[in-house]
Amino acid sequence: MAWTKYQLFLAGLMLVTGSINTLSAKWADNFMAQGCGGSKEHSFQHPFLQAVGMFLGELSCLAAFFLLRCRAARHPDASMDPQQPFNPLLFLPPALCDMTGTSIMYVALNMTSASSFQMLRGAVIIFTGLFSVAFLGRRLALSQWLGILATIVGLVVVGLADLLSKHDDQHKLSEVITGLFGFVILSLLLVPMYYIPAGSFSGNPRGTLEDTLDAFCQVARQPLIALALLGNISSIAFFNFAGISVTKELSATTRMVLDSLRTIVIWALSLALGWEAFHPLQILGFFILLMGTALYNGLHRPLLTRLARGRPSADEGEHERLLAGPRTPINDAS
């Protein structure tokens, strides 16, 4: 069935805003500007402040949520199930995990290229699969174990390409290797981070874990940094909306394909802008990662059924219906 104009719009919005999100963050990292107190020019390395901006973008989605809630209250739909009351504090533990993971990801973005960063995020499949076995008692199919294995191989290949690449002399080898609650908590944590020494790990003149004042001084001296941060904040809000809508209107399979295309767009633009050099190992690593993701999510089954029978089967329709449910692919990026 052909896509509607609305579905095409959602797919395009997800692809564009998802690419802008990673590229704008890397663009900010590439800037050099003076900091506070007349310090010499240095790169904009403020991953924790960037993480706060990302959570601010996600927090802005609350505005759309309340608008939709008010609309539903004025025009109730009898076909929809009434909302069950819940304790908002239930979201605190996953928010803390998301806050930690997002902060580490922005630190990693400072240490590697935008395309490698996007590809290496596929490692979430490994930990999701293993933790589901260890803590949820689930049994993984053979194809899922093969998907995890392929993902590990793909990560090694992409990491090797990053190590062999000579496009970025600023990053040391060690850096390449180490590679609503969130917003509030991380904003508060910026205060102690201002005083915690980080030694050579730090990217600011004071040598602390995060120097927010230095970031603001750099933004004042180089306004384009503010534009990059604004692009990062606004794009994550639209990306989250588009991603959820694509899963609802189309399928989780479509969302996974669009996320893979997002990696290609980021890679192509990074090459065009001269932010990184081409390395053939990245192509190999990307396709191995893509194969691992497809195997883990069971996307090979409809294809095998079609090849075996020469026509679409009822199992294929059932599989697609299940994929079109409310779940999202485990390699989703926020």
Side-chain angles (χ1 to χ4, degrees):
M1 185 177 65
W3 287 5
T4 64
K5 292 182 179 180
Y6 179 62
Q7 290 172 336
L8 286 172
F9 167 75
L10 290 176
L13 183 65
M14 178 182 170
L15 182 61
V16 171
T17 55
S19 302
I20 291 175
N21 183 249
T22 298
L23 290 171
S24 59
K26 190 61 182 179
W27 187 31
D29 294 342
N30 289 339
F31 278 110
M32 300 281 291
Q34 287 185 338
C36 299
S39 61
K40 64 179 182 179
E41 282 193 353
H42 55 279
S43 58
F44 187 84
Q45 295 187 21
H46 299 280
F48 298 101
L49 182 65
Q50 286 177 303
V52 170
M54 195 215 70
F55 282 113
L56 178 61
E58 292 186 343
L59 184 63
S60 65
C61 293
L62 279 178
F65 170 77
F66 285 121
L67 287 175
L68 293 174
R69 190 172 182 179
C70 292
R71 180 184 176 184
R74 294 178 181 178
H75 307 283
D77 188 353
S79 63
M80 295 182 63
D81 296 331
Q83 292 185 354
Q84 299 293 328
F86 64 92
N87 187 350
L89 291 178
L90 290 175
F91 290 94
L92 180 58
L96 291 174
C97 295
D98 189 27
M99 178 194 72
T100 305
T102 301
S103 301
I104 294 175
M105 283 195 304
Y106 277 106
V107 172
L109 186 58
N110 274 311
M111 298 179 177
T112 188
S113 63
S115 62
S116 294
F117 164 80
Q118 192 67 33
M119 294 179 193
L120 292 172
R121 294 176 73 173
V124 68
I125 285 180
I126 302 171
F127 298 101
T128 303
L130 295 179
F131 287 169
S132 67
V133 172
F135 299 107
L136 300 180
R138 293 181 178 174
R139 297 182 63 182
L140 300 183
L142 176 61
S143 61
Q144 291 177 308
W145 286 113
L146 291 175
I148 291 176
L149 180 61
T151 301
I152 295 174
V153 175
L155 292 173
V156 171
V157 173
V158 172
L160 182 61
D162 211 23
L163 294 178
L164 296 178
S165 178
K166 305 299 182 183
H167 67 276
D168 193 352
D169 295 331
Q170 303 178 64
H171 298 149
K172 300 176 183 178
L173 179 62
S174 60
E175 290 179 328
V176 175
I177 295 176
T178 50
L180 168 67
F181 290 113
F183 174 72
V184 175
I185 295 173
L186 195 55
S187 297
L188 295 175
L189 287 177
L190 289 178
V191 177
M193 286 180 182
Y194 182 81
Y195 299 99
I196 298 175
S200 59
F201 179 78
S202 172
N204 58 74
R206 295 181 63 251
T208 56
L209 196 58
E210 180 61 278
D211 190 341
T212 306
L213 296 181
D214 179 71
F216 288 140
C217 290
Q218 286 187 290
V219 170
R221 289 176 168 83
Q222 177 52 272
L224 286 179
I225 298 179
L227 179 62
L229 296 178
L230 182 61
N232 185 256
I233 294 172
S234 57
S235 63
I236 191 63
F238 287 103
F239 175 69
N240 284 344
F241 163 76
I244 294 173
S245 300
V246 163
T247 304
K248 180 181 178 181
E249 295 288 333
L250 296 167
S251 68
T253 308
T254 305
R255 183 170 181 173
M256 194 209 78
V257 172
L258 289 173
D259 207 48
S260 300
L261 290 176
R262 171 189 174 195
T263 303
I264 297 176
V265 171
I266 292 171
W267 188 19
L269 289 177
S270 297
L271 291 173
L273 294 171
W275 290 357
E276 58 182 279
F278 174 78
H279 201 292
L281 273 180
Q282 281 192 314
I283 298 180
L284 177 61
F286 172 71
F287 279 110
I288 295 176
L289 285 172
L290 188 61
M291 181 179 65
T293 302
L295 284 172
Y296 190 93
N297 287 284
L299 302 185
H300 62 290
R301 293 170 188 158
L303 179 60
L304 292 177
T305 302
R306 180 172 298 180
L307 291 175
R309 301 185 179 182
R311 58 183 177 82
S313 65
D315 291 340
E316 179 182 350
E318 177 67 14
H319 182 72
E320 186 64 24
R321 185 186 68 79
L322 291 174
L323 285 176
R327 72 175 181 89
T328 57
I330 61 173
N331 65 331
D332 175 37
S334 59

